[in-house]
Amino acid sequence: MSPAPPRPPLVAVVGATGTGKSQLAVALAQRYNGEILNGDALQMYDGLPITTNKLPLEEMKGIPHHLLGCVKLGEEPWTVKQFLKRATSIIEEIRSRGRLPIVVGGTHYYTQSLLFRDALVEEGESDDLTADAQREAWKLPDANAEEMLKQLQKVDPEMAMRWHPSDQRKIRRSLEIWLKTGKKASELYKQQRIQSKDPESDGWNRSARPNGSEDSARAHLRYDSLIFWIHAPSDVLNLRLEERVDSMVSHGLLEEVASMQSFLQDQEQQGDSIDQSRGIWVAIGFKEFLPYILDGSHREELRQKGIERTKIATRQYAKRQVRWIRLRLQRAVHAANLAHNMFLLDATDFSLWSDGVDAKAQDITAAFISGFALPKPDSLSDTAMKLLASPEEEAKSATYCEACDKTLMFHSQWINHLKSKGHRASKRPKIDWKTLYPKNNGY
């Protein structure tokens, strides 16, 4: 069978932190005349190579890397709009040189917004907030989940029902949408769903157009993309991440945190305030080690606590990254009819990297850029067969069980909870055995 006509390709490498994304991207760039575009938001900041886990220069193997260290420490943090503008321009430059653009990074929201024209809410936000909205937005970082949920219930009760009362990040995000756009998040998402089903729109619902549905779905792709998902199970990855944190500390992480804190103090002395809830200041390791940097006593105890907090935060971050891939990126991939171009590579055992990850990625990339048929993504491994299945997420609606003082987010969870022994026990009438069988006063 002759290959399909050549096409301008783009390769994206995604996965949790510590799975070897950068290593694979460099190998592909060496083999296929590529240049690498950074898709990690924190690695876009100048300096701080340890805190942001930048790839050492010697491991770049001479491959050009773009959008690394391009934002100064004191600059306003980038938005996704800024990233998209710079990234799309750089991709065109790479292609003009006849080279292969390879996007790699752990900020999967950035990568997804680059791959798909999916009208994310953030792209429609106004940068011009009213004074009242600005004041309210600044309060959010200090508000707890309960306070924010009460506010969200007032302005967007439909959206409030979707989030668990302790899911502070998602509750805050819904409030931010209201404050920044003046529109309810529930309404914006509803509009997007309607547009995706509109036969006249450039939508994602392939069933809406029996004719030309392939073209309709692929119209949402910015590029003809090949996606590699580097995956390792959490038990293996967690051990790997803990070892990496220990290595970062031994290679100067604490010194970098101290330099960041000194920079903050200098800015404050000059009368410049920096929002520490955004940008580089949310990098894992900074706030975790601040007590050690600021407190002159109990140094070793604070150091050990900082290490443990950093390890916990890193594990949680990796979990969130995988969750984004499963519930957001994969949904976009399936909606754009791109599932046949997304491959999971099992990086459980680094000793098997050459055959299990590198060789497979090289072969698939060669077929992709030549226009030959690709293997079935679920044929690469049992893990791929399991995790690449279409991610169907239940509609969320918080339901509170007063008897058990517990909130359930999905209908199936609620049904299972009602059948559980714990719930049945809590609903069972309590028997007052003392009243039923009083002491017989010695008889």
Side-chain angles (χ1 to χ4, degrees), residues 22-214:
S22 297
Q23 178 181 340
L24 178 62
V26 169
L28 292 175
Q30 286 181 299
R31 176 76 177 273
Y32 297 106
N33 191 31
E35 297 186 24
I36 294 175
L37 179 70
N38 169 48
D40 189 298
L42 295 182
Q43 291 186 8
M44 294 176 190
Y45 289 87
D46 187 29
L48 308 174
I50 300 173
T51 305
T52 59
N53 197 38
K54 286 189 178 77
L55 192 68
L57 184 62
E58 61 273 16
E59 294 182 22
M60 293 183 183
K61 306 292 181 64
I63 299 298
H65 281 64
H66 303 273
L67 294 185
L68 276 177
C70 55
V71 183
K72 299 298 181 183
L73 195 57
E75 283 187 39
E76 185 74 11
W78 272 22
T79 65
V80 68
K81 291 181 182 179
Q82 290 171 288
F83 168 75
L84 282 175
K85 183 177 180 180
R86 290 288 299 276
T88 52
S89 175
I90 290 171
I91 287 173
E92 292 308 310
E93 292 174 6
I94 294 173
R95 283 181 169 167
S96 71
R97 293 189 284 272
R99 309 194 74 179
L100 173 67
I102 301 173
V103 181
V104 59
T107 308
H108 296 132
Y109 164 60
Y110 274 38
T111 301
Q112 183 170 332
S113 65
L114 179 63
L115 297 180
F116 303 100
R117 303 179 189 275
D118 56 357
L120 291 170
V121 169
E122 287 78 358
E123 291 187 25
E125 291 175 355
S126 170
D127 294 328
D128 300 320
L129 303 185
T130 65
D132 290 340
Q134 287 181 354
R135 283 193 293 271
E136 291 301 318
W138 276 97
K139 294 177 183 177
L140 289 182
D142 297 324
N144 59 40
E146 183 179 359
E147 293 170 340
M148 290 190 294
L149 183 59
K150 288 180 180 179
Q151 183 65 21
L152 184 60
Q153 287 169 341
K154 293 178 182 178
V155 301
D156 192 353
E158 182 179 343
M159 206 65 190
M161 284 294 293
R162 292 192 61 188
W163 306 138
H164 191 281
S166 62
D167 199 336
Q168 185 165 326
R169 182 178 61 85
K170 292 180 180 177
I171 295 170
R172 176 187 289 117
R173 180 68 196 126
S174 296
L175 268 181
E176 287 175 344
I177 290 173
W178 163 260
L179 291 169
K180 292 184 178 182
T181 68
K183 298 178 181 179
K184 298 178 181 179
S186 57
E187 292 179 352
L188 289 174
Y189 293 138
K190 193 177 298 182
Q191 290 173 6
Q192 291 176 357
R193 288 194 297 270
I194 292 172
Q195 290 173 354
S196 71
K197 296 176 182 178
D198 182 0
E200 299 303 319
S201 71
D202 189 19
W204 288 25
N205 191 335
R206 297 177 64 233
S207 62
R209 281 187 176 182
N211 297 320
S213 59
E214 177 82 8

Side-chain angles (χ1 to χ4, degrees), residues 11 24 27-28 31-32 226-230 343-348 352-368 373-385:
V11 175
L24 178 62
L28 292 175
R31 176 76 177 273
Y32 297 106
L226 174 66
I227 304 172
F228 289 117
W229 173 10
I230 316 302
F343 294 86
L344 182 146
L345 300 173
D346 193 339
T348 301
L352 303 177
W353 177 273
S354 179
D355 293 330
V357 177
D358 188 68
K360 289 181 179 179
Q362 300 279 2
D363 291 343
I364 293 170
T365 303
F368 172 69
L374 303 179
K376 292 184 177 180
D378 61 5
S379 69
L380 297 191
S381 66
D382 291 340
T383 304
M385 182 179 297

